[in-house]
Amino acid sequence: MPYSEMLVAPMRAELTSAGVQELRTAEEVDAFMAKPSSSDLLIVNSVCGCAAGAARPAVQLALGQDLKPERTATVFAGQDLDATAQARSHMQQIPPSSPSMALFRDGELVFFIPRHRIEGRAAAEIAGDLQAAFQEHCTAATV
């Protein structure tokens, strides 16, 4: 049973207000992944405390820098069940994890932050990991 929309609406807004595209259906995930750009960040959002205290703030910090992925999108685990399952199908080699962040370059998964690398860490540390991945996998053209 999905979480109440009233509960997750503010959690969704933390990412969408930072310019992250929301994918709420499996079809929207397929459309996003079918036309990869040079770099895409896909975030699996969650209601858990580590998402609120670290994951979403880390994404906001990382995306506030000059070098970032060309596109960013999010699905919400526990709420948009089909979209989340479809997003995870593009990360088949990775066990399901929420929250989590996956960076794709030209449609291929090149970097992943699972929940166990989010829990107990500060948002700035996680943002630093994202920025390092952006430096390695994003091009200046995505600025």
Side-chain angles (χ1 to χ4, degrees):
M1 178 115 196
Y3 291 110
S4 162
E5 180 60 33
M6 288 187 338
L7 172 71
V8 302
M11 299 172 199
R12 290 179 186 280
E14 285 183 73
L15 292 180
T16 58
S17 67
V20 178
Q21 177 186 353
E22 193 167 47
L23 307 174
R24 299 199 59 178
T25 68
E27 294 77 21
E28 289 174 344
V29 172
D30 284 343
F32 181 83
M33 297 302 293
K35 296 178 184 159
S37 69
S38 62
S39 56
D40 299 309
L41 180 65
L42 183 56
I43 303 135
V44 178
N45 200 350
S46 172
V47 300
C48 74
C50 63
R56 290 189 298 269
V59 169
Q60 291 170 327
L61 286 169
L63 294 179
Q65 303 300 311
D66 289 336
L67 187 61
K68 57 191 164 197
E70 190 172 332
R71 300 183 312 161
T72 58
T74 183
V75 296
F76 206 107
Q79 197 359 253
D80 301 325
L81 306 180
D82 292 338
T84 302
Q86 195 61 21
R88 287 177 172 153
S89 77
H90 294 277
M91 308 170 221
Q92 290 182 354
Q93 65 271 38
I94 307 289
S97 181
S98 58
S100 62
M101 302 157 203
L103 182 64
F104 296 85
R105 181 171 177 114
D106 298 319
E108 288 193 41
L109 181 64
V110 293
F111 180 78
F112 188 80
I113 299 179
R115 178 187 180 116
H116 75 268
R117 287 191 45 219
I118 295 170
E119 291 177 308
R121 296 182 69 210
E125 292 175 289
I126 300 161
D129 291 349
L130 284 171
Q131 274 297 301
F134 298 168
Q135 291 289 329
E136 183 177 348
H137 300 290
C138 300
T139 63
T142 64
V143 173

